[in-house]
Amino acid sequence: MSKKQTSGADALIQSLHKEGVELVFGYPGGAALHIYDAIFNQSDVDHILVRHEQGAVHAADGYARSTGKPGVALVTSGPGATNAITGLATAYMDSTPIVVISGQVKSELIGTDSFQETDMIGVSRPIVKHSFLVQKAEDIPEIVKKAFYIATTGRPGPVVIDVPKDFTDPNHTFEFNYPDEINLRSYKPAKAGDPKQIKQAVELIVKAKKPVIYSGGGVIQSDASSELTKLAKLLQFPVTNTLMGLGAFPGTDPQFLGMLGMHGTYEANMAMHNADLIIAVGARFDDRITNDPKQFALEAKKIHIDVDPASLSKIIHADVPVVGSAKDCLSALIAELNKEKLDTSKLQPWLKQVSDWRNEHGLNHSMLEKVSENGKILPQQVIQSLYKETKGEAFITSDVGQHQMFAAQYYFFDKPRQWINSGGLGTMGFGLPSAMGVQFAFPEDTVACVTGEGSIQMCIQELSTCLQYGLPIKIININNAALGMVRQWQDMQYGGRHSSSTYEDSLPDFAALAESYGHVGMKVTKFEELESAMKECISLKDKLVFLDIDVDPNEHVYPMLEAGNAMDYMHLSKDKKTW
Ligand SMILES: Cc1ncc(C[n+]2csc(CCOP(=O)(O)OP(=O)(O)O)c2C)c(N)n1
Ligand SMILES: [Mg+2]
């Protein structure tokens, strides 16, 4: 019996189905219309119509980050493709596995400045892990197979498939075969670490007196949280997570020091600065961590475990570089350590020191207990109230700014994939669409988007998507009537000159705006109203609630590293610093 004949468009959708894709987030247009018709004619793959292509890519990204499965977005050529660029860069910087399919003008028109033509491959080249320009319809199944393999293996990342319209034409059909395997000669991601390096790592570990484990997003990406926790428990070493790594080690565990870096806790940054051994796992020593790399943790030996060999010794010299997935390398390390007689008693002075640092200048985690001196709601109190009402179990997405840092500092993430934010690119506008991706993947769970009145306006059109698909996201708008993080820098470094960081009374009534989109809008201005409003917001299980909370506009995020110095140079409050 002869196999079914398909068009390129049908083959594309069937290939997605073969990859286990259930949802595609997208927005149609001319060059993608054959693909949209193919979607209409089947029921294996659902399409979610967003309101802006940036929203589609962030939604696919949020889906990928929360599930560990690749997310998929579909856009048309030209403006559709360029609108997807910020989403691609966001996924690239945080190494998330997504596949973005862009329609392209007919192959014969490429290079002629035809209507809605953009060189998507060229424009996206520096911000994708890989890209494919389809050359004939028959290649589509193999390209899809390769795209998903590349996006999800090694250091994950976004892959673009640019499809000229003629290769999806329903009048051209061929026999559909989905390959079982593909062979990519020049791409062989490393798995387990080299046993010699693992042995060297063990030698450093058993000698260490002042160790710290510094783990990042790579641990979450490789589903290595349980191995990381096992290692930390075995060794009794303190653990700090990067912004991207929060949840990889339980946030409520006493061994946890909190986040490190620019707005990391005092104890995490002090532990890093004074350590004699740093075990870096799935983290890349970026500038928000190291501050001045020349002054970074000078006394510490560094073991660096990363799946991407290009990350090793890129910024900070690795005494023991270990290339491989965090999961496999940590398992190998634990197995090797189990052969040793470990003496944790020699760590006691160090653990006491770390605990003293925490007692001295740690974050105050009981701010809900009393109203602030000026009577205004503090942003930290909003996060604590959210934590309390969601029992620490919600998925939290965030935007970018002060609210993001407060969420990272004050919500304790006990599980990986619970905290979804744009750490690398720092994309305002990420919060709401990424929450849509999470809510689609976990329809029964509470998904809250912690945002600011600045960020939410960057993708606010997605409120309409949320109504169409009944997504009951909780939007927690920490409204300080300013681009708060910009203003904080202006306060600290530009003599308080607030150049274009406030809005001159031009903000919308967010609660009314949400209502006009068909959702529930609530406004909170007084501390006494905060907890009951939060309770009501979270309890409205089937509704999107936009909770707009006026907070003290003068609050800053602390600690904050002093630029150009070592990690122990921290501002602790408006009038206290460590030097
Ligand atoms: C797309 C984009 N543009 C500009 C910035 C620079 N930026 C970082 S934080 C910030 C202010 C964010 O304001 P808001 O969302 O109200 O958060 P807040 O800091 O007030 O909590 C800006 C403009 C960015 N990160 N992303
Ligand atoms: Mg703001």
Side-chain angles (χ1 to χ4, degrees):
M1 204 174 76
S2 75
K3 280 227 172 174
K4 207 174 132 219
Q5 295 284 306
T6 55
S7 69
D10 292 326
L12 179 63
I13 302 305
Q14 282 318 302
S15 301
L16 295 180
H17 178 50
K18 292 274 185 195
E19 287 297 323
V21 174
E22 290 167 351
L23 283 181
V24 172
F25 300 91
Y27 206 93
L33 284 185
H34 295 325
I35 305 173
Y36 273 86
D37 203 43
I39 291 177
F40 189 85
N41 289 325
Q42 53 83 57
S43 55
D44 293 326
V45 178
D46 277 344
H47 180 269
I48 307 302
L49 176 66
V50 296
R51 299 297 179 269
H52 186 298
E53 290 84 353
Q54 182 179 351
V57 184
H58 290 333
D61 191 336
Y63 177 91
R65 292 181 200 228
S66 59
T67 60
K69 296 192 282 189
V72 183
L74 170 62
V75 301
T76 191
S77 66
T82 54
N83 273 352
I85 290 297
T86 300
L88 280 166
T90 303
Y92 183 68
M93 290 292 277
D94 289 343
S95 310
T96 22
I98 60 168
V99 174
V100 174
I101 299 160
S102 48
Q104 182 53 281
V105 299
K106 286 183 190 167
S107 54
E108 70 200 36
L109 294 175
I110 288 180
T112 66
D113 292 340
S114 68
F115 179 62
Q116 293 194 327
E117 181 188 2
T118 293
D119 174 8
M120 179 58 158
I121 299 295
V123 168
S124 66
R125 179 160 285 130
I127 49 166
V128 294
K129 186 171 173 190
H130 198 67
S131 54
F132 295 92
L133 175 61
V134 174
Q135 306 285 349
K136 60 179 195 302
E138 289 76 358
D139 290 345
I140 287 175
E142 190 176 321
I143 286 176
V144 171
K145 179 92 186 169
K146 285 181 180 168
F148 278 79
Y149 179 71
I150 293 170
T152 54
T153 51
R155 179 178 185 166
V159 176
V160 161
I161 307 177
D162 200 31
V163 198
K165 187 170 183 178
D166 41 331
F167 302 142
T168 54
D169 190 326
N171 293 318
H172 174 80
T173 60
F174 56 96
E175 196 176 284
F176 177 69
N177 284 308
Y178 200 65
D180 293 328
E181 268 178 37
I182 33 128
N183 185 22
L184 291 162
R185 263 186 303 151
S186 56
Y187 176 70
K188 300 266 182 267
K191 285 207 84 185
D194 178 346
K196 261 198 294 195
Q197 313 272 254
I198 301 276
K199 282 215 167 69
Q200 283 179 20
V202 169
E203 277 168 31
L204 290 183
I205 287 171
V206 292
K207 277 197 280 190
K209 293 200 182 80
K210 298 192 288 177
V212 60
I213 298 174
Y214 144 58
S215 90
V219 172
I220 295 176
Q221 296 280 12
S222 91
D223 286 322
S225 300
S226 65
E227 287 78 3
L228 179 81
T229 307
K230 228 191 225 166
L231 178 78
K233 292 286 153 197
L234 177 70
L235 298 172
Q236 290 297 305
F237 288 3
V239 182
T240 176
N241 289 157
T242 66
L243 178 67
M244 292 307 298
L246 293 173
F249 186 76
T252 51
D253 192 293
Q255 260 171 268
F256 185 56
L257 304 178
M259 177 172 79
L260 78 163
M262 171 75 83
H263 292 297
T265 64
Y266 177 71
E267 57 271 35
N269 288 344
M270 291 301 276
M272 289 290 285
H273 181 70
N274 291 285
D276 68 357
L277 175 68
I278 291 172
I279 309 179
V281 196
R284 58 191 172 88
F285 294 94
D286 96 331
D287 54 273
R288 284 296 186 266
I289 301 301
T290 59
N291 217 5
D292 177 11
K294 288 193 213 69
Q295 302 181 57
F296 172 75
L298 297 175
E299 317 248 294
K301 294 271 183 210
K302 284 105 187 169
I303 299 170
H304 191 178
I305 301 174
D306 206 292
V307 74
D308 181 3
S311 275
L312 301 168
S313 296
K314 183 172 82 175
I315 295 159
I316 297 294
H317 171 73
D319 298 283
V320 179
V322 186
V323 185
S325 85
K327 196 177 184 72
D328 293 330
C329 294
L330 289 175
S331 297
L333 189 57
I334 291 166
E336 206 52 38
L337 281 163
N338 277 333
K339 298 180 193 160
E340 300 286 325
K341 250 188 91 198
L342 298 166
D343 171 20
T344 53
S345 68
K346 68 172 189 301
L347 298 176
Q348 287 318 310
W350 173 241
L351 299 181
K352 160 102 181 34
Q353 170 68 80
V354 168
S355 146
D356 288 349
W357 281 325
R358 188 184 332 229
N359 293 335
E360 221 177 344
H361 296 304
L363 298 174
N364 173 6
H365 285 290
S366 31
M367 293 174 77
L368 263 189
E369 283 165 17
K370 69 174 195 336
V371 60
S372 67
E373 273 160 27
N374 61 15
K376 296 196 168 128
I377 301 174
L378 295 173
Q380 299 92 324
Q381 293 173 323
V382 177
I383 304 297
Q384 293 191 332
S385 171
L386 175 65
Y387 180 74
K388 194 168 149 194
E389 287 312 321
T390 55
K391 303 184 182 65
E393 290 169 356
F395 285 98
I396 308 291
T397 73
S398 97
D399 270 298
V400 174
Q402 292 181 319
H403 61 274
Q404 174 193 28
M405 293 300 124
F406 288 128
Q409 291 177 331
Y410 286 87
Y411 201 100
F412 301 108
F413 298 97
D414 275 340
K415 285 190 253 134
R417 304 194 181 279
Q418 208 190 335
W419 165 238
I420 312 272
N421 84 128
S422 166
L425 197 67
T427 309
M428 290 171 70
F430 178 77
L432 176 57
S434 64
M436 299 186 331
V438 181
Q439 190 80 77
F440 270 111
F442 297 94
E444 303 302 323
D445 287 72
T446 301
V447 181
C449 164
V450 173
T451 186
E453 79 307 311
S455 294
I456 192 66
Q457 294 190 79
M458 288 221 173
C459 277
I460 201 156
Q461 72 286 345
E462 299 306 330
L463 283 173
S464 173
T465 312
C466 293
L467 184 70
Q468 183 171 355
Y469 296 97
L471 302 175
I473 295 164
K474 311 300 177 230
I475 298 176
I476 311 300
N477 190 37
I478 299 190
N479 192 337
N480 52 12
L483 301 172
M485 189 57 97
V486 169
R487 197 171 52 176
Q488 173 167 347
W489 282 54
Q490 290 171 336
D491 283 339
M492 295 174 74
Q493 295 169 19
Y494 296 90
R497 293 182 295 281
H498 296 162
S499 177
S500 296
S501 54
T502 52
Y503 315 95
E504 315 296 338
D505 291 330
S506 60
L507 285 173
D509 174 342
F510 285 105
L513 183 72
E515 298 268 347
S516 83
Y517 271 104
H519 303 302
V520 176
M522 291 164 67
K523 175 94 191 159
V524 176
T525 54
K526 296 195 196 73
F527 178 75
E528 304 80 63
E529 304 161 348
L530 174 63
E531 292 203 74
S532 61
M534 187 67 78
K535 195 185 239 15
E536 189 181 344
C537 164
I538 301 300
S539 69
L540 287 170
K541 288 274 173 242
D542 302 329
K543 295 269 185 198
L544 183 148
V545 183
F546 195 118
L547 186 55
D548 183 28
I549 307 169
D550 281 353
V551 299
D552 185 348
N554 293 314
E555 192 65 8
H556 283 177
V557 184
Y558 294 109
M560 181 169 174
L561 293 177
E562 169 73 1
N565 280 289
M567 279 184 97
D568 60 340
Y569 278 66
M570 279 172 271
H571 296 266
L572 298 171
S573 67
K574 282 191 183 160
D575 42 33
K576 207 186 310 166
K577 46 195 188 183
T578 56
W579 72 98

